[in-house]
Amino acid sequence: MDSYVEDHLHWRMMEPGDMEELARLRHQIEAFDDTMITTVEGLLFHDGATLDGGHCVGGWDNYGSLMAYGWNIVHADQDHARVTLAGGVHPTHRYLSIGRKLFDWQVARGIEWRDAERPGMDLWLGCYVEGTQAGLHHMLKGLGFQEERHFIDMQRPLDVVPVPRMVDGVSFVAFDDANSEEVHQLHHLCFGSDAEHDHWESSLSRVRPDWSWVAINGKGAVGYVLSGEDDAAAVDGVVEGWTQRIGVHPAYRRQGIASALLERTMESMAHSQCRGAGIGVDTDDTGVPEMLRDPLGYEDRDSVLLMSKTIPGTKSVR
C-alpha cells in the first residue's frame, strides 16, 4: 500500500530502526496530553508488534522530525482478522485534519491486509479512546464504531465509610491460605477462559489478607474480593488501598454480594489508616461502574474505552 497520507508531512513506512524516534514522539504526546493511551498501546506492543511488515506509517516535517504515526497492530490469531489501530499527531501539527486522514489510511491498510492474509473473513478494527478524547470518540461514532469495553480506574476517600451490609444466607470471612484454592476455582468460574493465565500464585504476593474477603454460603465460596496497596499512591509515599480482583458466582449475582464485599474492604482499609480506596474496572457492562459510583461512592480517576467496528468479509469462510 502507498505510504502517502496527506500533504502537510512527508510520509513513509516505518522500519525497526525508527523505533527510538517513535518512542520519543509517543512520550511527547503522552506528556502533553497527560494521557494513558500510550500505556495501553504499550501492553499491545508487548504481544510482539513490530515496525516491519508495512503496518506502521510515519510523517516527518521539513526539519526531519517525526510528527505523526499510524500503527496497525495485527493480532496473531490465525482464525480471525483483528487489527488494533494506534496512532498520534504531535501537538504542533494538530487541527490540520492529519489525524482523520491518517485514520482513514489505517482503515484502508487494515482492509488490504485482511484481503491478502485472511481473505473472506470479517475484519475487526479496534481503537482505544481516553475519557478526555471527546473529539476522537465523536469521530469514531460517526464512522460506525461502537463502544465495546470500558477500562476505568475509580477511587473514593475513606474518611467516612459505609456500614457493611448483610446478605441473607451469606457470611463473610477473611481471605487466607485455607480458602485460597477455593477462591481460585471460583475465579475461573466467574471469568472463564480469561482466567486461564491469571498468574494466581504470583498475584497473591500483592494481596493483603486483612483487606480481602470471601463470601460463603452453605455450599462454599460464592464471592471474593482481593486487595492490596495502590502502587501509584505508594510512589508518593501515601498508603492507599487497591482492589485487584473481585468476583461473584454467576448464580448469586444481583444480591448485593459484590457491594457487601467492597464495603468490608473499605472498612478494613480505613482501620489501617488508608486515605483512599481504588479499583480497576474492565467490563462491557456499563451497569458495573454505575453500581460503584452510587451508592458505593467511587469516582472515575482515569478511563479508557475500547471502540470497535466489524467490516464484513466478501465471502463465507469454511
Side-chain angles (χ1 to χ4, degrees):
M1 182 173 175
D2 193 301
S3 60
Y4 172 78
V5 175
E6 53 79 60
D7 290 330
H8 292 92
L9 298 172
H10 305 286
W11 298 91
R12 67 168 172 83
M13 294 295 187
M14 301 193 76
E15 301 172 351
D18 297 314
M19 183 65 82
E20 184 176 342
E21 190 172 9
L22 175 58
R24 187 160 52 246
L25 171 60
R26 293 176 64 242
H27 286 310
Q28 289 172 342
I29 293 172
E30 182 176 35
F32 184 86
D33 293 338
D34 191 21
T35 180
M36 297 191 306
I37 293 297
T38 52
T39 301
V40 174
E41 290 179 4
L43 297 176
L44 295 167
F45 298 157
H46 289 163
D47 288 337
T50 63
L51 284 182
D52 51 17
H55 296 299
C56 188
V57 69
W60 281 259
D61 65 11
N62 291 330
Y63 300 97
S65 297
L66 181 65
M67 289 290 141
Y69 75 100
W71 195 342
N72 285 12
I73 303 170
V74 175
H75 297 228
D77 183 0
Q78 295 289 324
D79 295 327
H80 299 87
R82 295 173 61 87
V83 179
T84 298
L85 309 178
V89 179
H90 192 280
T92 60
H93 281 68
R94 293 177 184 172
Y95 312 109
L96 299 173
S97 297
I98 295 175
R100 171 55 193 273
K101 292 175 182 177
L102 180 57
F103 194 85
D104 289 343
W105 184 95
Q106 290 182 264
V107 171
R109 173 61 184 132
I111 294 172
E112 181 185 63
W113 167 81
R114 185 274 308 273
D115 292 345
E117 301 295 334
R118 307 282 195 277
M121 291 186 181
D122 291 347
L123 172 64
W124 178 93
L125 298 174
C127 183
Y128 289 93
V129 183
E130 193 163 358
T132 56
Q133 295 180 302
L136 178 57
H137 183 275
H138 179 75
M139 182 191 79
L140 291 174
K141 290 284 284 186
L143 293 173
F145 282 70
Q146 302 294 321
E147 297 182 0
E148 179 172 317
R149 199 158 193 89
H150 298 260
F151 306 88
I152 309 173
D153 283 353
M154 309 183 77
Q155 194 172 31
R156 61 151 293 160
L158 292 177
D159 47 347
V160 178
V161 297
V163 176
R165 72 191 70 188
M166 304 301 294
V167 179
D168 289 343
V170 177
S171 60
F172 297 88
V173 301
F175 174 77
D176 57 26
D177 290 341
N179 55 37
S180 175
E181 184 53 33
E182 184 179 9
V183 171
H184 189 192
Q185 295 306 313
L186 177 58
H187 177 63
H188 279 270
L189 177 64
C190 291
F191 296 100
S193 60
D194 290 341
E196 286 300 319
H197 305 289
D198 55 22
H199 307 290
W200 184 260
E201 292 300 327
S202 61
S203 71
L204 294 183
S205 65
R206 302 189 298 274
V207 169
R208 284 190 53 161
D210 56 329
W211 295 353
S212 304
W213 293 85
V214 182
I216 305 288
N217 74 351
K219 298 179 181 179
V222 296
Y224 63 94
V225 60
L226 304 181
S227 301
E229 293 188 18
D230 185 339
D231 293 337
V235 172
D236 297 324
V238 177
V239 178
E240 292 195 358
W242 187 263
T243 294
Q244 300 169 5
R245 302 179 188 268
I246 182 169
V248 175
H249 190 297
Y252 293 88
R253 291 172 183 170
R254 304 191 185 283
Q255 298 181 26
I257 294 175
S259 296
L261 287 164
L262 286 169
E263 287 164 349
R264 282 166 174 77
T265 291
M266 293 178 207
E267 185 178 60
S268 301
M269 292 175 178
H271 285 165
S272 297
Q273 309 304 313
C274 281
R275 187 178 67 182
I279 185 171
V281 179
D282 173 359
T283 182
D284 58 2
D285 182 356
T286 56
V288 172
E290 287 303 319
M291 177 271 289
L292 292 169
R293 295 185 187 107
D294 185 18
L296 293 179
Y298 287 89
E299 297 181 349
D300 295 7
R301 184 172 72 182
D302 297 300
S303 65
V304 174
L305 172 65
L306 173 60
M307 300 188 69
S308 66
K309 177 180 181 178
T310 298
I311 298 176
T314 56
K315 63 181 180 180
S316 61
V317 178
R318 297 185 183 276

